[in-house]
Amino acid sequence: MLHTDNILLRKVEPCDLPFLYQWENDSRSWADSDIHNPLSQKDLRDYIETSTGDIYKDGQLRLIIELKSESVNSTIGCIDLFDFDPHNRKAALGLYIAEHARGKGVGKTVVRLLEEYAFSYLNLRMLYVFVAENNAACIRLYKSLGWEQTASLKEWLNTGDVVVLQRLKQ
């Protein structure tokens, strides 16, 4: 369920530490999120070691995005379900694609995979994202997948407004 012919979503492994360290400490993306300080390798190692990969135990699920090829797999990002609320059957979604892999349709594919997992397997009824209003590419991605913009949060971030997009189970 969590793969296509060329993309695999898998649990975070210790070998992913260098990627996570680089991505989490990319200060260019901090302006579009609630992150405002660097994470240490120890912070990330502790996360990897304590994460069970079970959304019901951890309250979140982070999956690594790998491009599959005949010669070698390439780690290019991660996708998260967080703020998991099993009672109300909803979760937030977070997506990070490495800069060199953007604009190639990977985001669309992995969001579709996670939607299928969330709606079919976890039986969620809603996914939502918060996107900085100036992140036009990300907003376009979600809208192209049928996500509906349902709110605008004024001055939510230091850099400006945030839009809320939702996807309801069909």
Side-chain angles (χ1 to χ4, degrees), residues 71-85:
S71 57
V72 65
N73 288 359
S74 172
T75 302
I76 59 160
C78 56
I79 190 164
D80 303 299
L81 289 177
F82 62 99
D83 288 343
F84 176 60
D85 180 347

Side-chain angles (χ1 to χ4, degrees), residues 4 18 25 29 48 59 64-65 70 83 86 117 126 140 143-144 152:
T4 65
N25 291 303
S29 65
I48 292 169
I64 296 296
I65 304 166
E70 294 176 14
D83 288 343
Y117 174 75
M126 179 199 327
R140 247 187 338 271
K143 284 185 173 182
S144 75
S152 179

